[in-house]
Amino acid sequence: MNTSEAILEFAHPGVRALQPYEPGKPISELEREYGVSNALKLASNENPLGPSPMAFDAAKKALHEMQRYPDGNGFALKNALANRHDVLPDQITLGNGSNEVLELIARVFLSSGTNAVFSEHAFAVYPIVTQTAGAEARIAPANSSSHSMPYGHNLSVMRELVDANTRVIFIANPNNPTGTWLPVSELEDFIREIPSSIVIVIDEAYFEYVTESEYPDATRWVEKYPNLMVTRTFSKAFGLAGLRIGYSVTQPLLADLLNRARQPFNVNSIAQAAALAALNDHGHIEKSVSINHEGLKQLSKAFQEEDWVYIPSVANFICVDVGRPGVDIYEALLHEGIIVRPVGNYGLPNYLRLTVGRKDENDRMLQSMKKILA
Ligand SMILES: *Cc1c(COP(=O)(O)O)cnc(C)c1O
């Protein structure tokens, strides 16, 4: 055995079995590799309007103090979030993106001999944090393609996978990349039936975008369920993906455990300041959500006209079936200067996930897709 093989041998099997997460290609990389300019990225569910100008100003101001460590307890932001969710500040845990709080919950509860349950086609970070912690990923088959919520989470199948070794259940609502969602009654029934010692994570990264009347705000249930953890992010509707900031709402006991495991200064001062300001700019969120609704309508109408199958979505992205390997169309679009997301790694090899952009951006993407698929 050579040294590399020996090192690999010592890495634990869960990590060896992982494929690295493939992020959406950055614009600079596309322009460098393909020699194109004016590239359009609709690959990572970012806000096409950018952040609130108030958040931008707050971030600039915070730069003046960059020699200092951030507030490790996030006092101001936690208080604002506590107000927003009508909970106490000690129920909020800030993370370097909500991905970090997902990783923290895994680090606190998962290890070899335990398992986490989540759905097929669910967000890629769940297997990463589960397997990195040495735990087993128990993956529940999703709804069929002909279901009213195609490829969405099937909660009764998920419930059947829960056993004595289950420590965490991950549910994205809505889910990325499918854009499917779970209504109030179905989700709360599920939470009620799970033993209260098993942590249930409801990942609400796209919360702001969803306007369906039966769509639940799971933060309201935190008082009732000590095992519930609801995560939110500033990366999507708030337009702060580059600053890496998100949070969870739980009862104080879970927050205390997460707080023990986190790094002391996990959320930087620029992100804290920008997030605090972004929270107060309701107008910017409203505008972002309304542009997203227009874009979803525009895209689904175009798909119908072209007879392209798509997964109805309530988020700021939508998956469309391109009738052949999605990576081929992804490659062809790169040559047009457009970055989207193939989702073969999510078990949807013929689909592309398109982030909803502004009208002109959606038009450009649709034109290129029609040309390529013709
Ligand atoms: C984008 C996304 C997140 C957000 O991750 P951050 O670390 O907060 O940027 C979380 N969950 C899902 C399902 C997502 O799609």
Side-chain angles (χ1 to χ4, degrees), residues 154-166:
N154 182 334
L155 293 182
S156 49
V157 177
M158 288 180 71
R159 196 184 307 116
E160 284 163 21
L161 288 186
V162 172
D163 68 8
N165 297 322
T166 302

Side-chain angles (χ1 to χ4, degrees), residues 97-99 123 176 203 205-206 233 235-236 244:
S98 59
N99 284 346
F123 185 42
N176 169 17
D203 180 344
Y206 301 95
T233 184
S235 298
K236 305 289 158 58
R244 312 303 305 127

Side-chain angles (χ1 to χ4, degrees), residues 104-321:
L104 286 174
I105 201 75
R107 233 190 283 158
V108 171
F109 286 98
L110 297 176
S111 58
S112 150
T114 68
N115 69 65
V117 171
F118 49 88
S119 177
E120 183 187 15
H121 316 304
F123 185 42
V125 167
Y126 311 153
I128 294 176
V129 301
T130 299
Q131 291 180 226
T132 303
E136 178 201 353
R138 309 199 91 189
I139 300 172
N143 293 338
S144 73
S145 58
S146 56
H147 192 277
S148 63
M149 209 68 90
Y151 305 106
H153 291 15
N154 182 334
L155 293 182
S156 49
V157 177
M158 288 180 71
R159 196 184 307 116
E160 284 163 21
L161 288 186
V162 172
D163 68 8
N165 297 322
T166 302
R167 297 290 178 272
V168 182
I169 300 170
F170 291 105
I171 293 174
N173 196 31
N175 181 48
N176 169 17
T178 56
T180 50
W181 61 285
L182 296 157
V184 176
S185 56
E186 207 182 317
L187 189 55
E188 200 182 1
D189 284 351
F190 175 85
I191 295 169
R192 217 180 279 119
E193 287 164 14
I194 298 295
S196 59
S197 53
I198 298 175
V199 174
I200 304 172
V201 177
I202 309 290
D203 180 344
E204 295 184 338
Y206 301 95
F207 178 85
E208 294 78 12
Y209 288 111
V210 191
T211 52
E212 258 63 20
S213 62
E214 287 305 299
Y215 175 68
D217 173 350
T219 64
R220 303 261 175 79
W221 297 335
V222 163
E223 294 313 306
K224 267 193 277 183
Y225 303 103
N227 56 328
L228 185 60
M229 167 165 169
V230 184
T231 62
R232 297 278 183 96
T233 184
F234 287 95
S235 298
K236 305 289 158 58
F238 289 99
L240 299 177
L243 291 181
R244 312 303 305 127
I245 181 162
Y247 63 97
S248 64
V249 185
T250 61
Q251 288 198 9
L253 176 60
L254 275 187
D256 172 42
L257 289 167
L258 295 168
N259 191 44
R260 295 184 205 191
R262 79 176 169 89
Q263 299 294 322
F265 302 105
N266 60 329
V267 180
N268 74 74
S269 47
I270 320 296
Q272 288 188 37
L276 186 59
L279 272 182
N280 292 321
D281 193 346
H282 304 289
H284 188 73
I285 293 291
E286 272 171 34
K287 198 166 150 199
S288 304
V289 169
S290 124
I291 283 180
N292 187 63
H293 279 159
E294 292 307 309
L296 274 178
K297 270 194 267 176
Q298 179 191 0
L299 292 174
S300 39
K301 185 163 164 277
F303 299 159
Q304 285 162 21
E305 281 167 7
E306 297 296 318
D307 260 334
W308 296 342
V309 172
Y310 63 96
I311 308 175
S313 169
V314 294
N316 68 340
F317 54 84
I318 186 163
C319 277
V320 62
D321 185 342

